[in-house]
Amino acid sequence: MKRYVYINDDESSHDLYCDNRISNRKYTVLNFIPKNLWEQFSRFMNQYFLLIACLQLWSLITPVNPASTWGPLIFIFAVSATKEAWDDYHRYLSDKKANEKEVWVVKNGIKKLIQAQDIHVGNIVWLRENDEVPCDLVLIGSSDPQGLCYIETAAMDGETDLKTRVIPSACMGIDVELLHKIKGVIECPTPDKDIRRFDANMRLFPPFIDNDICPLTIKNTVLQSCYLRNTEWACGVAVYTGNETKLGMSRGIPEPKLTAMDAMIDKLTGAIFVFQIVVVMVLGIAGNVWKDTEAKKQWYVLYPDKGPWYELLIIPLRFELLCSIMIPISIKVSLDLVKGLYAKFIDWDDQMVDLETSTPSNATNTAISEDLGQVEYILTDKTGTLTENKMIFRRCCISGIFYGNENGDALKDVELLHAVSSGSPDVVQFLTIMAICNTVIPTQSKTGDILYKAQSQDEDALVQAAARLHMVFFNKSGNILEVKFNNLILQYEVLETLEFTSDRKRMSLVLKDCQNGKILLLSKGADEAILPYARTGQQTRNFVEAVEQYAHLGLRTLCLAWRELREDEYREWSLMFKEANSTLVDREWRVAEVCQRIEHNLEVLGVTAIEDRLQDGVPETIETLRKAGINFWMLTGDKQNTAIQIALSCNFISPEPKGQLLSIDGKTEDEVRRSLERVLLTMRITTSEPKDVAFVIDGWALDFALNHYRKAFTELAILSRTAICCRVTPSQKAQLVQILKSCDYRTLAIGDGGNDVRMIQQADIGVGISGREGLQAARAADYSIGKFRFLKRLILVHGRYSYNRTAFLSQYSFYKSLLICFIQIFFSFISGVSGTSLFNSVSLMAYNVFYTSVPVLVSVLDKDLSEETVIQHPQILFYCQAGRLLNPSTFAGWFGRSLFHAIVVFLISIHAYAYDKSEMEEVSMVALSGCIWLQAFVVAMETNSFTILQHLAIWGNLAGFYAINWIFSALPASGMYTIMFRLCRQPSYWISIFLMTAAGMTPILAIKYFRFTYRPSKINTLQQAERLGGPIVSLGTIEPQPRPLIEKDVSTLSITQPKIRNPVYEPLLSDSPNATRRSAGTPFDFFQSQSRSSLPNYSRNCKDN
Amino acid sequence: MDLDSGSSSTVGAGVQAIPGRPVRRGALYQFKQQNLPACKPVLTPATVIATFLLMSLIFIPLGLITLRTSNSVVEIVDRYDIECVPEEYRSNKLLYITDDSISKNCSRFLKVPKSMRAPIYVYYQLDNYYQNHRRYVKSRNDKQLLHGLGDNSTSSCKPLESAGDLPIVPCGLIAWSLFNDTFKFNSGSSELKVNRKNIAWKSDRDHKFGKDVYPFNFQNGPLIGGGKLDPNTPLSDQEDLIVWMRTAALPSFRKLYGRIEEDLDADDVIVVQLMNNYNTYSFGGKKKLVLSTSSWLGGKNDFFGVASLFIGAFCMLISIVFLLLHVKNPRPYGDATYTSWNKKSSSS
């Protein structure tokens, strides 16, 4: 499908394509209520509550006032609807602002100021400096005589450097006045979201130029949301408008992520629902039987002999309503609230602020903090994530001579400086390539310093280094590059730019040396993209050695090469290049092929080595997280050797005796298969050994592995705690995440660049590093942090605490709902199974909304272990990973507790308030008070650290309970007039409460103490150790140096209590999540047996590193 | 829950302190950094054993006191529903109770076991009577009781909301089934005065039942339930009704009938003249007459004492078990190093 855009033609395309109105809104004023309600009711929980609320309107069956359900329900709905409406209103406002922005558009040959939303396809839009681009334009004019203009694309891809755009050759040199009247047609593809491609053609109508078709690329466009910079004005034809722009097409509402915990809570809710149905059926049948046998004899109840047809349903429905509080209506609100607070704690954390740039950490996604504590796999990018992405030119090898090997800095190497000053031709040529073979734009600041705007950090490093070596690239005006070398100004005219693509892995310039008119081809690129094309006869062994040597040091290498072109050779090639550039289909591939034709026979000059320093604290972070049972995979676009070196230097893999690196490689499908099988076999053998086995695979082999041997590779992925994947593409990164996710692992992807975005979005948790490659990754991510080392704190501190807190909060919510529901059920047995509610409506509503939800909310401040202890003993994270704190068995514990407490409260209330005291409302308040007291003590018992807020909430809530009830007791109209006053005067009331609390809490305290002391979990052990080792930990406040201190702490701990390590460490390793998963890993059993039988003889260990 | 606040500490402030970080120590800042000073109680053997011991030391005396208090209450319980049916109707009690022509008079002789001090409360007790049945408990209209005939809908009183065109006052099953046995007491030859005033809650008389609401059409319908009311007395003075309408939560309950404001001596014989009107025979309910003195805990109820003693004993047992465990078995894993651990924890 193609789209034909007629330039400056107001009529023809108006109806065909949409106008430039941007709309990100989800709702309109009219459809807000129905659409929002529909969305909310698509959740099971909400449907359930609505059904309950509707049933309550039937007064025959409702045990309580319908307001007790409708109130909270409406409140919950109003809260989330308001939130949605608020968000949508802001979207509307920002849309409106963008839509009503005034822009200059040519209408009937005259420039007019119109609103951006009225731009139509085909209009000519004029932009001034620093204007935002309102829609996707094809440039046709610019103030620059060469037709260049500069744009900033930060809003689109997060890259902060300026990019150049150029007007198509056909429009070159058209007068400003004529631009108002220009007519023509642009043939372009239908809108898509690829912001790196635009394969179109333009043809101008007479009288403009000849009838030539002029090819257009992305270089000729300026896209919506970019800014025009350093250019006085530019004008272009609108080709895509409104929501059909490339930005608009790539916009999408990301799928909401559901945490493992939410899934578990949903599951438990489902179980409770089933339990509720069973209870309702049993009680319903019992109630009907009692009614038919007993109640008919109870003359004072006056049952009619023959009821309506639905008579049999009435009692079960009553019990359904009575039991509906089993599923706490408040849990969603509570969870949303505390999740918001977890996210805020991350935002506020002072220890996760990047001091260099003073960027705080940010939790964009507020709903998934618990998942951080359950991470099992971390997939990390290398460049910019593990490393600083601050490139520094360190070494080079020119014509076989190594520079910078002695002192590690070639710029200070006397020999190189000497060679430069003496003008050695190879060296000078090498420097020239370093300085100009790139897409860097030099700009002169007001003070006269030269600043470089580079798209890649490597190029920047090379140009800077060349400048330090007196080859200063100081001006680029149009096609003319000017270089100053030792006060000599050299000029070059760029004829063609053969751009860098990740497939070609090299870039070249064809330029004319203005000094002598020679045409030169300068190339730089990866070794495997340059060295094979060396001039026949040139010895490249030196360079291969250099590349290997540098790669071993973890340096990034680039090979530089050049050759001189003959005039005719260039001209012939230039035609082909033009033609390739104007193809519409497969342009990229065609261009690459044409480039190949000229990039050969190269004179290789040398190799540059650029250091990319590791970020602070990366090895420690990896080691700590690895101890926490998290597996690391490194996915990088870099070379295998560099990747391995970086991996070694940051503790990613262990060196030879301790660790073992298996390599999967091969050029053909078959080789890859055999290699994969070999590695798999070795892995299976070595899983029992305490050895760090890792595998390394490159993008090529990975392609086969993913497409043809997915099963085998998946098994490998499960067996292997560490992997290095090099030379992988963004989509392969995402596929790897997908594989791990499909094995039910919680994955965290961390990266910093645009190439990591897909992986970040795919993973359960995406973490972006707001680093040098722009904010693209950080923007797509759920969390953005400034430095890799903050990951430790993010996972171990924030993730773990969030998990623990939510685990408590959710189970407690069920506990308190079940508690009151069990009491209602027990009461029904002494009230003729008729479905009478012991508690009145006000109490029931307030119980869920006030009395029990406040104390538990402050559990967000609870810390079971101090942050230092967790960081020192990261193994403790296993409890979160394995879901030890929220699972059916812990839930069963809470269930049992609520049953036990319900029995205690019920028995004590009915026995203490028997006979003359058995007044309904008094008994009801005694039971309710018992519940409130018990739950206060339960919260207190489960709280590990009490801050002032916790005391306030727990005991203040208790006081609040009495205050509220006294107020109600003072109102004659309320159902409980004077009740609470009467009760509080009775000694028997207080004795009952005392009995209930003691009877309810002593067994729990006893069990807790017994477990804590004689069957301690690792958390308990650490709590005990923390308590004993208090002085050691608090030493930290005195010492200023952070890191040595931690090590010291560990050592002191291990000296004084040498065996603490044992109970803490060993069991954790033996029941690591992998071990349990493996034993239960049924999906692969089939495959294992199959593969074993098919490959019986493989025992050869394949490792080549 | 023992709050052993030994390790109260401001956690984590300095260990990873980044040099140059601005030093702010406001409470809000500490909250944001999750660094509020916290006390971390730990369950050490000493505190836990002490807690349980303390609990038992509280509950055992409490149990003894409450048991003694309950025993000091003198209570006479007399079930009369069977004895008061004449021999010939024993096989068909229902006929006896529903037939108005049969005299319901009955005499009971009660022996006072111990001397009883005034006031002596007279209760009637009903067993197996479900005042808490959902159909029953909802069948009332509080507004009508207070304001009388108004525009109040009496639909909540179903199935007894109206007689003819007018709503019944007071409407509903509870009022309709009003208990109507009456008791007269004689001690020797003299009549024992039973004070039947102030048996209902004052708050009910003042604020729940209207002073100008008269039961003008009560029990006039075809269905006669329990007692009748004097149409010329306002509801606020119908104390039997008010007491009856405080529904009981349990199927066995006692309701106050009146007070005897004389002391009774041991071995006195009280003659009760009663009208056995109320029908509990159709559903096998029991009727009892209860005379009881009172204590600060209310009537006779051994539950407090028994429960307290039980909990106290339980706590004592637990503390002994834990003490033995702690002394005998300080190293649960048989791990030598645990000794040092536990010594430390117990000493702290």
Side-chain angles (χ1 to χ4, degrees):
Chain A
M1 277 296 290
K2 291 222 175 73
R3 152 185 289 219
Y4 293 93
V5 177
Y6 292 91
I7 302 172
N8 223 346
D9 185 343
D10 285 340
E11 310 309 320
S12 62
S13 52
H14 261 199
D15 306 328
L16 218 52
Y17 308 120
C18 67
D19 63 8
N20 197 31
R21 189 187 303 273
I22 302 165
S23 174
N24 292 314
R25 280 189 298 158
K26 228 166 125 186
Y27 308 106
T28 65
V29 177
L30 281 180
N31 76 6
F32 175 75
I33 288 173
K35 194 169 172 187
N36 186 265
L37 281 181
W38 177 254
E39 272 175 19
Q40 296 208 41
F41 279 124
S42 50
R43 293 202 44 179
F44 170 73
M45 279 259 244
N46 289 343
Q47 288 170 4
Y48 169 78
F49 288 127
L50 182 73
L51 178 76
I52 296 298
C54 288
L55 281 176
Q56 286 194 343
L57 292 179
W58 188 6
S59 63
L60 185 63
I61 58 168
T62 181
V64 291
N65 194 322
S68 65
T69 302
W70 281 102
L73 191 69
I74 289 171
F75 175 75
I76 287 171
F77 272 58
V79 166
S80 45
T82 315
K83 195 166 154 264
E84 285 277 321
W86 180 254
D87 290 350
D88 212 46
Y89 180 66
H90 277 273
R91 282 193 286 264
Y92 164 73
L93 282 189
S94 68
D95 287 352
K96 191 172 140 110
K97 211 171 136 198
N99 283 336
E100 290 180 355
K101 193 178 255 177
E102 306 218 303
V103 287
W104 289 101
V105 169
V106 175
K107 289 262 179 190
N108 304 324
I110 304 155
K111 253 197 292 192
K112 272 188 193 161
L113 205 54
I114 64 165
Q115 289 189 344
Q117 56 186 332
D118 297 326
I119 299 174
H120 283 95
V121 170
N123 285 154
I124 295 177
V125 179
W126 289 75
L127 304 167
R128 285 138 193 275
E129 188 164 357
N130 298 333
D131 272 356
E132 190 185 346
V133 182
C135 59
D136 291 357
L137 304 175
V138 167
L139 280 174
I140 54 170
S142 154
S143 59
D144 185 87
Q146 266 81 35
L148 287 180
C149 64
Y150 296 95
I151 56 164
E152 188 188 297
T153 58
M156 195 162 57
D157 56 11
E159 293 167 20
T160 46
D161 51 300
L162 296 187
K163 299 199 172 61
T164 53
R165 293 292 190 253
V166 63
I167 63 173
S169 52
C171 302
M172 219 48 116
I174 296 178
D175 191 67
V176 182
E177 289 304 315
L178 284 175
L179 279 176
H180 286 85
K181 296 173 190 135
I182 197 164
K183 295 267 175 189
V185 60
I186 295 170
E187 177 195 357
C188 55
T190 47
D192 57 31
K193 56 181 174 187
D194 190 348
I195 56 170
R196 314 217 175 273
R197 282 177 61 157
F198 179 72
D199 301 337
N201 283 314
M202 178 161 81
R203 176 195 297 235
L204 293 182
F205 294 147
F208 295 94
I209 319 297
D210 42 344
N211 227 354
D212 253 4
I213 289 184
C214 169
L216 300 175
T217 68
I218 199 75
K219 294 286 281 182
N220 305 116
T221 62
V222 286
L223 301 182
Q224 193 183 35
S225 83
C226 299
Y227 284 86
L228 190 68
R229 302 279 189 217
N230 293 354
T231 314
E232 201 181 310
W233 61 263
C235 71
V237 180
V239 285
Y240 302 130
T241 51
N243 283 349
E244 288 181 349
T245 59
K246 292 207 178 255
L247 186 72
M249 299 290 286
S250 58
R251 206 181 284 139
I253 298 152
E255 252 182 66
K257 292 181 178 177
L258 191 72
T259 65
M261 241 180 163
D262 288 334
M264 180 54 83
I265 291 171
D266 282 356
K267 223 159 101 185
L268 295 175
T269 312
I272 287 294
F273 181 68
V274 171
F275 174 71
Q276 179 192 328
I277 296 291
V278 171
V279 166
V280 165
M281 299 228 290
V282 170
L283 287 179
I285 292 168
N288 276 326
V289 169
W290 198 90
K291 184 191 79 185
D292 290 338
T293 54
E294 288 294 318
K296 294 264 152 119
K297 291 190 236 153
Q298 315 268 1
W299 57 268
Y300 53 90
V301 178
L302 213 63
Y303 254 115
D305 286 337
K306 209 169 146 21
W309 59 269
Y310 50 80
E311 204 190 356
L312 274 181
L313 280 178
I314 289 174
I315 288 178
L317 280 177
R318 273 184 198 157
F319 278 111
E320 173 61 39
L321 291 184
L322 209 57
C323 294
S324 67
I325 45 169
M326 256 188 207
I327 297 174
I329 198 165
S330 58
I331 191 170
K332 192 180 168 290
V333 183
S334 310
L335 281 181
D336 281 356
L337 258 169
V338 296
K339 281 177 175 197
L341 202 58
Y342 301 153
K344 274 286 163 215
F345 279 139
I346 293 172
D347 294 353
W348 285 332
D349 196 333
D350 257 5
Q351 293 180 47
M352 299 209 303
V353 176
D354 186 3
L355 288 174
E356 277 170 44
T357 54
S358 62
T359 22
S361 303
N362 178 32
T364 321
N365 189 340
T366 57
I368 61 168
S369 296
E370 299 94 345
D371 252 9
L372 280 175
Q374 298 198 285
V375 167
E376 287 155 303
Y377 272 87
I378 292 180
L379 297 104
T380 168
D381 179 39
K382 182 176 76 70
T383 316
T385 306
L386 300 175
T387 63
E388 295 250 21
N389 205 14
K390 200 189 275 174
M391 307 291 174
I392 301 164
F393 177 78
R394 285 294 182 200
R395 296 171 193 222
C396 62
C397 164
I398 306 171
S399 315
I401 305 169
F402 288 84
Y403 296 104
N405 271 13
E406 285 82 31
N407 54 7
D409 188 355
L411 297 179
K412 292 189 181 126
D413 192 316
V414 191
E415 276 181 59
L416 180 61
L417 292 174
H418 188 254
V420 171
S421 54
S422 66
S424 151
D426 274 350
V427 174
V428 172
Q429 191 67 21
F430 188 82
L431 290 182
T432 313
I433 300 175
M434 269 169 69
I436 60 175
C437 182
N438 48 43
T439 53
V440 174
I441 301 158
T443 53
Q444 216 129 22
S445 72
K446 291 197 176 76
T447 53
D449 297 333
I450 295 161
L451 300 173
Y452 295 107
K453 293 257 182 193
Q455 293 190 23
S456 106
Q457 299 284 333
D458 293 82
E459 289 188 344
D460 189 56
L462 289 180
V463 179
Q464 300 272 12
R468 293 271 303 274
L469 294 169
H470 310 293
M471 179 70 78
V472 186
F473 173 38
F474 69 96
N475 190 23
K476 179 178 194 176
S477 50
N479 286 344
I480 306 295
L481 308 177
E482 286 181 296
V483 184
K484 204 190 308 179
F485 180 59
N486 290 338
N487 300 325
L488 206 66
I489 292 182
L490 308 169
Q491 285 195 327
Y492 297 92
E493 186 191 349
V494 179
L495 300 175
E496 303 288 351
T497 305
L498 286 62
E499 283 187 31
F500 179 89
T501 66
S502 48
D503 293 330
R504 279 163 29 81
K505 294 188 184 110
R506 63 172 172 261
M507 67 115 18
S508 305
L509 281 186
V510 178
L511 43 73
K512 194 153 95 189
D513 189 340
C514 297
Q515 279 64 242
N516 48 21
K518 281 182 186 166
I519 296 175
L520 305 174
L521 172 83
L522 307 183
S523 295
K524 82 172 192 306
D527 50 319
E528 74 265 30
I530 295 283
L531 295 182
Y533 307 103
R535 168 171 64 84
T536 38
Q538 191 185 17
Q539 283 294 329
T540 57
R541 217 163 49 84
N542 265 334
F543 301 117
V544 174
E545 265 174 32
V547 167
E548 265 178 26
Q549 191 190 332
Y550 291 148
H552 266 280
L553 295 167
L555 301 173
R556 298 158 72 90
T557 55
L558 281 173
C559 291
L560 307 187
W562 74 293
R563 85 178 164 107
E564 199 179 321
L565 298 178
R566 291 188 314 280
E567 188 82 30
D568 53 331
E569 187 188 3
Y570 164 68
R571 215 167 287 142
E572 193 184 323
W573 176 82
S574 161
L575 286 175
M576 287 195 294
F577 188 60
K578 275 220 175 70
E579 188 198 74
N581 258 328
S582 60
T583 42
L584 273 179
V585 191
D586 286 340
R587 182 185 290 174
E588 203 173 293
W589 180 80
R590 290 263 298 140
V591 169
E593 195 197 47
V594 172
C595 290
Q596 187 90 45
R597 291 196 195 179
I598 195 170
E599 291 168 329
H600 60 84
N601 242 352
L602 299 169
E603 174 83 32
V604 181
L605 275 173
V607 182
T608 61
I610 295 168
E611 185 191 51
D612 185 5
R613 274 188 34 219
L614 278 187
Q615 283 186 17
D616 276 349
V618 167
E620 291 86 349
T621 305
I622 291 181
E623 201 189 328
T624 310
L625 290 178
R626 164 120 352 117
K627 268 200 217 154
I630 298 174
N631 304 329
F632 271 91
W633 283 30
M634 183 200 276
L635 316 178
T636 174
D638 220 331
K639 254 188 300 311
Q640 184 161 332
N641 279 351
T642 319
I644 291 171
Q645 287 314 313
I646 291 280
L648 278 172
S649 66
C650 62
N651 269 344
F652 203 85
I653 48 176
S654 314
E656 192 49 41
K658 232 183 110 205
Q660 187 177 4
L661 193 66
L662 310 168
S663 163
I664 302 169
D665 50 13
K667 289 286 164 233
T668 64
E669 205 182 304
D670 212 38
E671 277 171 35
V672 172
R673 180 177 60 84
R674 264 177 299 179
S675 178
L676 183 63
E677 279 159 1
R678 261 200 317 265
V679 171
L680 199 52
L681 210 69
T682 325
M683 280 282 185
R684 287 201 200 114
I685 295 164
T686 52
T687 41
S688 50
E689 295 170 29
K691 206 170 179 187
D692 294 339
V693 187
F695 73 88
V696 56
I697 188 167
D698 66 358
W700 180 262
L702 188 63
D703 199 41
F704 287 118
L706 287 176
N707 291 331
H708 303 283
Y709 307 107
R710 207 182 171 92
K711 257 185 170 177
F713 188 76
T714 313
E715 195 204 339
L716 184 64
I718 291 166
L719 287 175
S720 163
R721 290 174 54 94
T722 312
I724 299 171
C725 306
C726 17
R727 300 240 176 254
V728 290
T729 61
S731 62
Q732 279 177 327
K733 287 184 179 183
Q735 273 177 295
L736 286 170
V737 172
Q738 188 65 53
I739 281 197
L740 289 174
K741 265 175 85 178
S742 69
C743 308
D744 213 20
Y745 286 116
R746 289 272 127 185
T747 54
L748 180 148
I750 178 166
D752 71 321
N755 58 345
D756 304 314
V757 168
R758 287 185 62 181
M759 156 170 100
I760 284 173
Q761 283 173 338
Q762 182 80 57
D764 293 308
I765 307 158
V767 178
I769 296 214
S770 37
R772 292 168 178 276
E773 277 188 43
L775 292 169
Q776 209 177 348
R779 206 168 285 170
D782 302 309
Y783 297 93
S784 68
I785 54 180
K787 287 270 188 282
F788 183 78
R789 69 183 137 95
F790 297 151
L791 196 60
K792 182 163 77 175
R793 206 175 147 74
L794 189 69
I795 291 176
L796 289 179
V797 174
H798 291 288
R800 188 171 172 281
Y801 283 153
S802 303
Y803 174 82
N804 290 355
R805 292 161 182 175
T806 301
F808 170 63
L809 187 125
S810 52
Q811 296 184 101
Y812 169 83
S813 296
F814 280 106
Y815 155 79
K816 54 130 186 185
S817 305
L818 283 170
L819 170 60
I820 201 151
C821 192
F822 277 133
I823 294 177
Q824 298 270 51
I825 291 171
F826 294 148
F827 181 70
S828 76
F829 287 113
I830 61 162
S831 64
V833 208
S834 59
T836 318
S837 169
L838 176 61
F839 305 102
N840 60 40
S841 311
V842 178
S843 301
L844 276 181
M845 184 167 68
Y847 181 78
N848 259 329
V849 178
F850 303 111
Y851 304 151
T852 55
S853 53
V854 176
V856 75
L857 279 184
V858 288
S859 70
V860 290
L861 293 169
D862 188 39
K863 293 170 153 187
D864 56 342
L865 295 169
S866 73
E867 290 166 16
E868 294 78 41
T869 314
V870 178
I871 303 262
Q872 280 170 30
H873 303 277
Q875 291 87 341
I876 210 69
L877 187 72
F878 168 66
Y879 279 83
C880 303
Q881 284 172 335
R884 283 271 176 99
L885 301 181
L886 172 68
N887 55 42
S889 70
T890 60
F891 188 74
W894 280 97
F895 186 89
R897 184 182 294 195
S898 61
L899 187 62
F900 169 63
H901 281 172
I903 292 173
V904 165
V905 169
F906 181 71
L907 285 184
I908 292 181
S909 332
I910 63 165
H911 282 107
Y913 275 72
Y915 301 123
D916 50 320
K917 286 195 291 243
S918 87
E919 203 280 317
M920 183 98 168
E921 275 157 19
E922 284 189 356
V923 173
S924 141
M925 287 319 290
V926 171
L928 188 70
S929 313
C931 294
I932 303 288
W933 277 86
L934 274 179
Q935 67 89 24
F937 276 97
V938 165
V939 173
M941 177 89 87
E942 297 296 325
T943 302
N944 296 294
S945 67
F946 288 92
T947 67
I948 182 80
L949 287 175
Q950 265 127 331
H951 283 303
L952 264 181
I954 295 173
W955 312 119
N957 178 66
L958 212 49
F961 167 74
Y962 284 100
I964 290 175
N965 279 296
W966 283 331
I967 291 172
F968 276 115
S969 300
L971 302 174
S974 78
M976 38 188 283
Y977 182 52
T978 69
I979 297 287
M980 211 60 190
F981 297 127
R982 298 175 66 89
L983 283 178
C984 288
R985 280 202 300 269
Q986 296 170 0
S988 51
Y989 171 75
W990 296 107
I991 294 178
S992 308
I993 298 294
F994 195 35
L995 282 174
M996 284 180 205
T997 321
M1001 293 318 289
T1002 43
I1004 288 175
L1005 176 65
I1007 291 170
K1008 188 174 161 141
Y1009 166 75
F1010 184 78
R1011 282 222 189 118
F1012 185 79
T1013 313
Y1014 299 98
R1015 303 276 182 275
S1017 71
K1018 303 302 166 286
I1019 295 176
N1020 300 149
T1021 313
L1022 282 181
Q1023 280 171 336
Q1024 290 161 355
E1026 198 176 70
R1027 175 155 159 70
L1028 298 174
I1032 304 171
V1033 176
S1034 63
L1035 255 180
T1037 43
I1038 306 162
E1039 289 274 339
Q1041 279 292 316
R1043 197 167 307 124
L1045 186 88
I1046 292 173
E1047 283 159 13
K1048 193 178 144 201
D1049 277 353
V1050 173
S1051 58
T1052 37
L1053 252 181
S1054 55
I1055 289 164
T1056 51
Q1057 295 144 357
K1059 277 295 174 75
I1060 293 182
R1061 301 183 72 91
N1062 262 342
V1064 182
Y1065 282 56
E1066 281 173 1
L1068 281 181
L1069 291 179
S1070 67
D1071 58 8
S1072 83
N1074 282 345
T1076 47
R1077 281 274 169 74
R1078 257 174 226 148
S1079 56
T1082 36
F1084 303 99
D1085 284 349
F1086 167 72
F1087 179 70
Q1088 271 180 6
S1089 55
Q1090 197 183 36
S1091 62
R1092 270 191 199 126
S1093 58
S1094 63
L1095 324 151
N1097 299 328
Y1098 267 112
S1099 61
R1100 197 151 52 94
N1101 190 351
C1102 89
K1103 70 183 173 67
D1104 57 358
N1105 271 298
Chain B
M1 192 73 211
D2 60 330
L3 301 176
D4 189 342
S5 56
S7 66
S8 160
S9 63
T10 327
V11 235
V15 169
Q16 289 203 328
I18 306 157
R21 197 175 77 187
V23 182
R24 287 169 291 166
R25 283 287 172 270
L28 183 66
Y29 176 77
Q30 286 180 338
F31 169 74
K32 284 179 168 183
Q33 298 303 315
Q34 307 191 54
N35 249 340
L36 284 170
C39 99
K40 295 190 163 190
V42 169
L43 300 176
T44 59
T47 49
V48 171
I49 292 168
T51 308
F52 278 110
L53 213 57
L54 184 72
M55 298 271 273
S56 66
L57 290 184
I58 293 173
F59 274 105
I60 292 174
L62 179 71
L64 293 174
I65 293 169
T66 46
L67 211 54
R68 206 184 140 77
T69 309
S70 169
N71 282 336
S72 72
V73 174
V74 184
E75 192 182 74
I76 305 167
V77 182
D78 177 56
R79 179 174 175 186
Y80 63 85
D81 57 324
I82 295 176
E83 309 291 325
C84 283
V85 180
E87 289 290 342
E88 60 266 37
Y89 293 107
R90 287 278 164 90
S91 55
N92 193 354
K93 299 185 193 96
L94 208 51
L95 178 70
Y96 159 77
I97 202 76
T98 45
D99 191 344
D100 285 342
S101 59
I102 304 168
S103 160
K104 301 296 189 311
N105 275 325
C106 174
S107 295
R108 303 289 300 163
F109 300 91
L110 307 177
K111 191 161 170 254
V112 178
K114 275 192 246 170
S115 69
M116 297 170 88
R117 306 216 144 266
I120 297 159
Y121 294 89
V122 180
Y123 301 98
Y124 55 90
Q125 175 174 344
L126 293 176
D127 286 348
N128 197 24
Y129 190 101
Y130 289 87
Q131 263 207 318
N132 55 13
H133 193 279
R134 191 182 178 284
R135 231 177 120 77
Y136 186 83
V137 82
K138 290 242 164 193
S139 184
R140 63 190 286 162
N141 187 331
D142 285 338
K143 280 188 179 151
Q144 192 207 44
L145 292 175
L146 185 58
H147 302 295
L149 280 179
D151 49 358
N152 294 320
S153 145
T154 52
S155 64
S156 65
C157 286
K158 270 179 194 164
L160 280 170
E161 67 267 42
S162 56
D165 300 334
L166 280 172
I168 303 172
V169 180
C171 69
L173 286 175
I174 309 181
W176 174 72
S177 61
L178 175 65
F179 187 75
N180 58 353
D181 287 4
T182 58
F183 311 94
K184 280 204 175 72
F185 298 87
N186 289 302
S187 177
S189 54
S190 62
E191 188 186 343
L192 275 176
K193 275 277 180 206
V194 177
N195 183 357
R196 310 229 23 225
K197 285 286 162 204
N198 294 334
I199 54 172
W201 298 2
K202 190 172 183 313
S203 60
D204 281 352
R205 280 176 297 167
D206 293 349
H207 299 282
K208 289 269 179 188
F209 290 82
K211 290 197 166 39
D212 44 8
V213 183
Y214 295 90
F216 64 94
N217 61 351
F218 188 63
Q219 300 284 29
N220 284 349
L223 268 172
I224 305 294
K228 299 196 174 179
L229 295 173
D230 176 9
N232 300 318
T233 315
L235 287 188
S236 61
D237 290 339
Q238 308 265 13
E239 294 205 38
D240 282 328
L241 178 75
I242 299 176
V243 169
W244 182 252
M245 289 197 74
R246 277 270 154 209
T247 48
L250 307 178
S252 287
F253 56 90
R254 290 175 186 172
K255 291 205 179 280
L256 193 58
Y257 182 77
R259 269 184 297 266
I260 298 175
E261 283 159 349
E262 284 170 49
D263 289 356
L264 295 177
D265 296 325
D267 298 329
D268 278 0
V269 174
I270 301 167
V271 183
V272 186
Q273 296 290 336
L274 58 85
M275 295 286 287
N276 184 16
N277 296 323
Y278 203 67
N279 176 9
T280 54
Y281 302 101
S282 64
F283 54 88
K286 297 172 194 161
K287 293 195 282 190
K288 288 172 186 164
L289 175 65
V290 180
L291 272 72
S292 168
T293 57
S294 176
S295 70
W296 55 276
L297 268 178
K300 195 179 183 65
N301 192 349
D302 287 350
F303 176 76
F304 288 111
V306 173
S308 299
L309 283 178
F310 177 76
I311 292 171
F314 176 76
C315 288
M316 181 69 91
L317 181 75
I318 291 277
S319 70
I320 289 168
V321 166
F322 279 156
L323 194 66
L324 286 179
L325 262 181
H326 181 60
V327 172
K328 282 223 168 191
N329 191 16
R331 290 171 294 163
Y333 293 142
D335 186 338
T337 52
Y338 257 84
T339 334
S340 65
W341 268 63
N342 268 354
K343 268 181 192 161
K344 276 183 189 172
S345 13
S346 58
S347 65
S348 56

